[in-house]
Amino acid sequence: TEQVSVAVDHQKLRDSKEVLVEERRRCNLDIVAKESQLKEGAASENTPRELEELKARREALNREICEHNQKLSAKDDLAHVKIETISQLQLARSLLHCAFDQSVQAFTALHAGKAQLAHKEEGLQAARDTTNTVRLQLMRERSEGRRQAARDAAEIKALQEAN
């Protein structure tokens, strides 16, 4: 819609300039006619004044045409800047989308890594718990073994003393 608006404004300026150019062409024809009247001596007493007015009008038209040309040039420059800006914004948007996709991939990988780490930590904790349970069992068995050995030694000593 912005491009259509710019194109319509541009066309209006061109049309307006064409009207001015056509008016200047008619003015030039009138100037030539008045100058011919002066040269041929067929001029009225108003002809010199009319000729000056026509020349002044032509100068005014030239200025207006020049202004229109400047406006057209400025609008062309602005349109190019807008097109370049839009291109740069589209490129920036594409880069942002890529960066976002990479961020999502990194975030997903991070969560997968955290899940694996948590699973490994659970495995390590289970191994620690098993190790502690086995250690406690061995300590109980060793303690029981010492008591049994002490009982056995006491029984052997009692049997030896009884013999």
Side-chain angles (χ1 to χ4, degrees), residues 95-156:
L95 291 173
L96 283 173
H97 282 296
C98 289
F100 179 75
D101 290 345
Q102 289 175 350
S103 295
V104 168
Q105 290 172 355
F107 186 73
T108 303
L110 176 65
H111 275 284
K114 283 174 77 175
Q116 288 176 345
L117 182 60
H119 181 69
K120 287 180 181 181
E121 286 177 352
E122 288 172 4
L124 284 173
Q125 188 59 46
R128 278 189 215 107
D129 292 346
T130 302
T131 302
N132 287 337
T133 303
V134 169
R135 185 181 301 136
L136 286 173
Q137 185 63 33
L138 287 174
M139 287 172 63
R140 281 190 210 115
E141 288 175 6
R142 187 174 17 171
S143 184
E144 184 59 36
R146 285 187 195 144
R147 280 184 283 222
Q148 186 62 44
R151 282 192 298 266
D152 288 347
E155 198 175 303
I156 291 172

Side-chain angles (χ1 to χ4, degrees), residues 54 56 90 124:
L54 285 170
Q90 288 171 337
L124 284 173

Side-chain angles (χ1 to χ4, degrees), residues 21-38:
V21 168
E22 180 59 28
E23 189 176 340
R24 182 180 63 186
R25 188 187 67 74
R26 283 193 307 269
C27 189
N28 283 334
L29 291 174
D30 290 345
I31 289 172
V32 168
K34 294 288 180 193
E35 287 175 341
S36 291
Q37 286 176 1
L38 283 173

